[in-house]
């Protein structure tokens, strides 16, 4: 059974960090309802939901993907690039321990946000951003190389995280909204999508992707490619540069 690590939104969500967009205050009550609906998508498809302890003092804690990335059956506990997020790590570590998931860690002076990590086959694209530095990428590469993963650095300037600009479909095709992608040639196969919020997709199974409800043209494009598309509204998280990928960590046994 696949498992899902999630953390409910903090009541301080509106204080979350932003870098590339104008601040628009999210509705905390609506955000909670949207988060619950998001989690239900996985639960109704047979995923076991593993809650990470609430971190109400940390506005960005709901974006749990930034604190840990799965590589097969091994997790890498990150070291977020924003000082305001470092305190989220302790509760994520505790959740990994309770779930019996072995983990490795990024250490100072390295920084790494999970949102900067995109896995396509055994290739790991890592965004060099304001949140992820060279030392963090070097550490990740050293941890993964003995396990058969190749790390490729991708400079990112137009968005907060690598996966704010690109994600991948089940067949490995990298998708993104071209105005937000620094270099489409960085990926062997790239498919442009017509909407900004169509860039982020979560692979639920080999034939199904989950994406924002705010990208109907992109959803139609994916359906034309033979994929089942599940959509869910995440407007309040998009106001904070969030997307469907960063609200969970997927553990596939």
């Amino acid at each position: 059974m696949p498992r899902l690590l999630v953390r409910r939104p903090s009541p301080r969500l509106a204080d979350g960090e932003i870098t590339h967009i104008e601040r628009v205050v999210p509705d905390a009550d609506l955000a909670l309802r949207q988060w619950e609906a998001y989690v239900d998508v996985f639960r109704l498809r047979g995923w076991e939901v593993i809650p990470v302890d609430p971190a109400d003092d940390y506005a960005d804690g709901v974006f749990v993907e930034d604190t840990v990335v799965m590589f097969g059956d091994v997790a890498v506990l990150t070291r977020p690039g924003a000082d305001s997020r470092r305190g989220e790590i302790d509760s994520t570590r505790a959740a990994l321990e309770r779930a019996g998931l072995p983990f490795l860690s990024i250490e100072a002076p390295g920084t790494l946000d999970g949102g900067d990590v995109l896995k396509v086959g055994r290739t790991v694209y890592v965004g060099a951003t304001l949140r992820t530095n060279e030392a963090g990428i070097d550490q990740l590469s050293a941890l993964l190389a003995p396990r058969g993963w190749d790390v490729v650095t991708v400079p990112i300037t137009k968005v907060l995280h690598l996966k704010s600009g690109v994600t991948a479909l089940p067949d490995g095709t990298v998708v993104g909204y071209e105005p937000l992608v620094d270099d489409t040639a960085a990926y062997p196969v790239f498919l442009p999508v017509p909407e900004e919020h169509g860039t982020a997709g979560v692979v639920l199974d080999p034939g199904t992707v989950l994406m924002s409800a705010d990208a109907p043209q992109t959803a139609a494009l994916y359906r034309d490619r033979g994929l089942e598309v599940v959509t869910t509204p995440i407007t309040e998280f998009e106001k904070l540069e969030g997307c469907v990928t960063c609200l969970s960590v997927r553990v596939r046994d």
Side-chain angles (χ1 to χ4, degrees), residues 14 38 43 56 83 104 125 131 141 164 182 190 192 211 214 220 226 253:
Y38 171 89
R43 185 179 286 113
D56 288 351
D83 291 342
L104 309 166
Y125 296 98
R131 303 292 181 86
S141 183
S164 303
D182 285 81
F190 178 82
M211 59 178 293
D214 192 39
D253 296 329

Side-chain angles (χ1 to χ4, degrees), residues 83-168:
D83 291 342
S84 64
R85 300 199 62 185
R86 301 268 168 83
E88 300 171 24
I89 292 296
D90 289 344
S91 52
T92 301
R93 181 187 298 108
L96 295 176
E97 292 171 345
R98 287 195 301 270
L101 293 170
F103 62 89
L104 309 166
S105 298
I106 301 297
E107 307 291 347
T111 62
L112 178 74
D113 273 19
D116 281 322
V117 180
L118 175 64
K119 294 166 289 183
V120 181
R122 301 297 290 185
T123 299
V124 182
Y125 296 98
V126 184
T129 66
L130 296 173
R131 303 292 181 86
T132 295
N133 65 17
E134 183 178 357
I137 297 173
D138 288 346
Q139 286 184 42
L140 183 66
S141 183
L143 293 173
L144 296 182
R147 293 170 170 81
W149 298 83
D150 295 320
V151 171
V152 176
T153 302
V154 183
I156 302 297
T157 63
K158 296 182 178 181
V159 288
L160 172 62
H161 288 131
L162 171 67
K163 286 197 289 191
S164 303
V166 297
T167 56

Side-chain angles (χ1 to χ4, degrees), residues 4 6-7 19 22 28 40 44 52 60 70 73 90 93 101 106 110 120 144 146 166 193 205 222 225 230:
L4 189 77
V6 291
R7 189 200 317 268
T19 58
E22 295 293 326
D40 280 344
L44 292 171
V52 179
D60 288 309
M70 294 301 305
D73 59 356
D90 289 344
R93 181 187 298 108
L101 293 170
I106 301 297
V120 181
L144 296 182
V166 297
V193 300
D205 61 51
Y222 294 163
R225 292 174 64 91
V230 179

Side-chain angles (χ1 to χ4, degrees), residues 12-125:
R12 293 187 52 217
L13 182 67
D15 298 328
E17 301 263 2
I18 57 171
T19 58
H20 287 82
I21 62 175
E22 295 293 326
R23 185 173 295 278
V24 178
V25 178
D27 180 320
D29 292 336
L30 177 56
L32 180 58
R33 294 196 298 273
Q34 290 183 343
W35 178 83
E36 290 171 341
Y38 171 89
V39 174
D40 280 344
V41 169
F42 293 88
R43 185 179 286 113
L44 292 171
R45 286 178 171 264
W47 291 61
E48 177 188 354
V49 176
I50 302 173
V52 179
D53 288 342
D56 288 351
D57 290 337
Y58 299 95
D60 288 309
V62 68
F63 303 122
V64 68
E65 182 190 49
D66 288 326
T67 63
V68 61
V69 185
M70 294 301 305
F71 297 94
D73 59 356
V74 175
V76 172
L77 195 66
T78 71
R79 184 169 181 267
D83 291 342
S84 64
R85 300 199 62 185
R86 301 268 168 83
E88 300 171 24
I89 292 296
D90 289 344
S91 52
T92 301
R93 181 187 298 108
L96 295 176
E97 292 171 345
R98 287 195 301 270
L101 293 170
F103 62 89
L104 309 166
S105 298
I106 301 297
E107 307 291 347
T111 62
L112 178 74
D113 273 19
D116 281 322
V117 180
L118 175 64
K119 294 166 289 183
V120 181
R122 301 297 290 185
T123 299
V124 182
Y125 296 98

Side-chain angles (χ1 to χ4, degrees), residues 205-229:
D205 61 51
T208 310
V209 294
L210 169 65
M211 59 178 293
S212 168
D214 192 39
Q217 295 177 57
T218 305
L221 174 65
Y222 294 163
R223 290 185 179 110
D224 286 345
R225 292 174 64 91
L227 291 168
E228 179 183 354
V229 179

Side-chain angles (χ1 to χ4, degrees), residues 191-203:
L191 174 69
V193 300
E195 298 147 308
E196 177 179 349
H197 291 153
T199 61
V202 172
V203 175

